[in-house]
Amino acid sequence: MALSGNLGFPRIGAKRELKKATESYWKGELSGEELKKAGSELRKANWQTQKEAGIDLIPSNDFSFYDQMLDMSCLLGNVPPRFKWDGNNIDLDVLFLMARGSKEEGSDHASQTFACEMTKWFDTNYHYIVPEFSQDTNFKISSSKIFDEFQEALDAGIKTKPVLIGPLTYLTLGKIQDKDNPNFDRFELFGKLLPLYVEILQKLEAQGAEWVQIDEPVLSLDLTDEQRSLAKSAFETFASSVPNLKILAANYFGDLRDNLQTFLGLPVNAFHVDCVRAAGELDQVLSQLPADKLLSVGVVDGRNIWKNDFEQSLAILEKAKAAIGEDRLIVSPSCSLVHSPVTLRNEAKLDDELKNWLAFAEEKLTEVTSLFQLITGQGGQEALEANKAANESRRSSSRIHNNAVKDRSNAVTEADLKRDSEFTSRQTAQREKIKLPLFPTTTIGSFPQTKEVRSNRAKLKKGELSAEDYDTFVKDEIKKAVDFQEEVGIDMFVHGEFERNDMVEYFGENLEGFAFTQFGWVQSYGSRYVKPPVIFGDVSRPKPMTVYYSSFAQTLTDKPMKGMLTGPVTILQWSFVRNDQPRSETAKQIGLAIRDEVQDLEAANIAAIQIDEPALREGLPLRRDDWKDYLKWAVDAFRLCSSGVKDDTQIHTHMCYAEFNDIIQAIADLDADVISIETSRSNMELLEAFVNFKYPNEVGPGVFDIHSPRVPEVTEMDQLLQKAEDVLPIQNIWVNPDCGLKTRQWPEVKEALKNMVLSAKNLRESQSAAKS
C-alpha cells in the first residue's frame, strides 16, 4: 500500500514560541522544566498537525532546542574536553554551553570554553554545530532525547518514525581538533561509532518503533571510495543487528551521481530521493531500485515557498508508479520542512493573489496528501483544479515582469564588472584619502538591537509611532553609537543599523519585486530566526535605501563612516527566490540595484562601503563539477554592484561561518579592497586559506565570537592577532569582531570592543618597539 511521508517539521512554532522560551531560559526567566514543557507542547502540536493532514510516516527527533547535529553529538556523548563534562546524561546546560560558549569572564578556564564551531548545513541558510573529533574521542549514549520523544509521541497516540543523522554524514561533517595529531583520520572512529548506532536502533526497536529514518545527505557530495565503503558497512551492520526494524535511508539536497549504486545497494527497506533538486536522476533510480524496496519520492519542495505544480509532480509520481507499482511508493517532501516557515494561516496582510501562489510547511503537508490521493485514485480532483488555477495566475500576472529591468540587465557588459585600477593603485589612493593607523579597528556593521529599538520599530509599523518620532529615535541611537565609538577609539565607524530589522529584509522592503510575510520565520541557528523576503518579480531600486542615515552619521564625526549594504548573492540566498527564471538573472538584477546604492553613497561622501556576502559559499552547488558556472555569475553580480566607484572609495566585504580554502580564488576575484572574516571560533584556522593563497588585498580576521555572550580578555585577542601578524603583511591587517553585533547586549559589546581596541594598540606598540 502506498504511503505518505514527511522527513521533518519546523521546530520553532508558528509565532516563534521556541525562541521566546529558549531566550527566557538563558536570561534566567524560565526554569529548565518550563523550557522542556514548552518544547513538549510544540512537539505534540507538530505531530498532531501532521496526523490531521493525513501523513502516514510522521518524524520524531526532528525537534531540537538548538541544532540536530549538536543533539547527535550529545546522544553519542561527543563533548569536547574543554567543556569539563562530568560524563553523566547531558542536560540543557551542557548542550547550550557547547553551542554558545562560557560567559564566566575572568575565570581560569574562560579562554578555553569557547563555543563549538558553527557552519552552513550544505547549501542552505541553516547552521549546524560542527562535531569535534580527536584520536582520543570515545562515544557512549549520553542523552535520552530520541527515546523520550518517541515515547512522548506514543503517549499522545502517534507512532512516529525517529530520525537519526547517519554515521557517514556525522563523521564527514565533523572536524579534527587534535593538537597532538592534527592529521588524524576521523574515519578511524567509525569502529567506535557504529556500536552506538546499533545500540540506539535496538533500543528504539524495543520501544516499539517500526520505522527509523537515517539521513545521509552527504551522499549528494563528492565522496571517496572509503566513505562509500563505510556507508555500505554501516547499513549492513544495521540490517543484521535490527532485522525487523524498517529503515528509510534518506538522501536530499542533490543528485547521487557516482554514489547512486552505493545508495541503492544499502540493505534497507526504503530509500528517499529528492526529486525537486535531482528530478533528472529518477529514471536511473527507478531502473536500479531493488525489487523489494520502497521509494520515497520527494516532489514537494521543502526549501522554497512556492505552491507545488501538481501536474509536474504527478508526472514524476506516475513515472515512479508505472515502474515500481503503487504499493512501493511513498509520497514525500523533497527534504525536511525545517527550511520552510510554519504556516500561511496567520498571514493576514499578504494580498490574496500572492498568498495563493505560496505554500508553507503546513500547506506542504496538504500538498503531499493531495498528491497521494491523486496518485492512488482516492480523490484530490478539487485540489488539482485549484492548483492549476493558482499556477496559471502566477505565470500570467503582470506583477512579475518589468521590461525596463530586463533591458538594463541585458545591456550589462564586461566593462561594468571592473574597477578603474588594480588594487595596489586603489590602496594608495585610499590611504591618502582615509588616513588610518596600522591595524585599524572597525566593526562589521550592526550594534545591539535592544528591546527599545525593536519596540519602536514595531510601534512604527503598527501606526503607534509617527515617522517623525521614529526618525528622531533612530538618530538618537546613531548618535549614542557614534559617541561610544569616539570614546572607545574605533578607527572606522559604522552607524549601527538601528533602522534595520534584518540585513536582507531591510533591503527587500526597499526594492521592487519583493514581498514580505508577517510570520514567515525560519531557523538560521539556535534562537536566531530570519524572515526571508519573497522575490516574486523583477528587481529594481526605486529610491536610495541607506544614504539618509549613513550621511547623518557622518555629520557627527570626523572619522570615516562605513556605509553598510548586503550583497546580491546574500540577498538572493537568504530570500525565497522566484523559481520561474534562472537564479543568476535574479542575482544580476539585484546587483544593478545595489550598484545604484553604492554610487549614491559615494556621492554622499561616504569613503568606505561594505557589501556583505556571507552567503557566497553557501550558494555553491554540492558537486565541484558544478562550481565554475555558479562562481562566475556570483562573482560577476558582486563586481557589478562594486565596480562603479572611484579608486579612492574603499570597498569592503564580509564573510562568516564558511570554509574559504576551496573558494579563495573566487574571493580574490571579488576584488574587494578589504575583507573581514570569521576566525575566532576556529582559532584563526580559517585565515590559513588567505595565507596559503597569498591573498593580495586587506584582511580583517575576527578576534571575538559574537555568538557567545562571554567577553574575551585582551590577552586572548592579542594571541589571535599575533597569529595574524605572523602570516599576513602588517599593513594589510584590520581588527574587527567576527560578525555584526545586533544579537548581543550593550554591556558585553562595550567591554569586548574596548578590549579589541586595546589589543590593536598593543600590536601597534609592539611594532613600534620592534622598529626602535
Side-chain angles (χ1 to χ4, degrees), residues 360-419:
F360 291 176
E362 286 187 5
E363 292 75 32
K364 289 177 187 295
L365 295 175
T366 302
E367 291 182 332
V368 168
T369 52
S370 294
L371 288 166
F372 171 81
Q373 291 168 349
L374 287 162
I375 199 65
T376 58
Q378 299 180 41
Q381 287 300 319
E382 186 176 339
L384 175 60
E385 294 307 315
N387 181 269
K388 287 180 181 178
N391 279 290
E392 179 54 35
S393 164
R394 183 180 167 212
R395 279 189 291 267
S396 60
S397 175
S398 59
R399 300 170 64 178
I400 292 177
H401 303 290
N402 183 327
N403 289 332
V405 172
K406 295 181 191 298
D407 290 344
R408 187 182 181 197
S409 176
N410 290 334
V412 170
T413 67
E414 285 296 317
D416 296 317
L417 310 179
K418 295 179 181 178
R419 297 285 294 271

Side-chain angles (χ1 to χ4, degrees), residues 130-255:
V130 180
E132 296 179 17
F133 305 120
S134 75
Q135 60 186 344
D136 298 322
T137 296
N138 290 300
F139 303 105
K140 71 171 187 173
I141 292 180
S142 303
S143 168
S144 60
K145 175 183 180 296
I146 188 171
F147 313 113
D148 294 343
E149 292 179 9
F150 178 76
Q151 187 62 49
E152 186 178 52
L154 275 182
D155 293 343
I158 300 173
K159 180 169 281 191
T160 57
K161 166 176 55 81
V163 180
L164 283 166
I165 301 292
L168 181 63
T169 293
Y170 183 71
L171 284 175
T172 299
L173 298 185
K175 269 194 165 184
I176 297 302
Q177 294 286 355
D178 192 329
K179 292 181 180 178
D180 296 329
N181 191 0
N183 297 317
F184 175 69
D185 180 3
R186 60 189 180 277
F187 295 111
E188 290 184 20
L189 297 172
F190 204 77
K192 291 182 179 180
L193 186 62
L194 213 52
L196 269 291
Y197 272 85
V198 170
E199 188 178 347
I200 293 162
L201 294 173
Q202 289 174 335
K203 188 168 182 178
L204 288 169
E205 183 180 38
Q207 279 188 279
E210 294 179 11
W211 282 93
V212 171
Q213 174 183 317
I214 301 181
D215 288 356
E216 290 287 14
V218 293
L219 287 166
S220 284
L221 304 180
D222 297 311
L223 300 181
T224 64
D225 289 340
E226 179 193 12
Q227 288 170 297
R228 284 188 279 267
S229 176
L230 290 174
K232 181 175 180 289
S233 174
F235 282 85
E236 286 174 349
T237 302
F238 303 157
S240 62
S241 302
V242 282
N244 298 318
L245 184 63
K246 296 176 182 176
I247 294 178
L248 168 66
N251 175 258
Y252 41 80
F253 296 157
D255 45 12

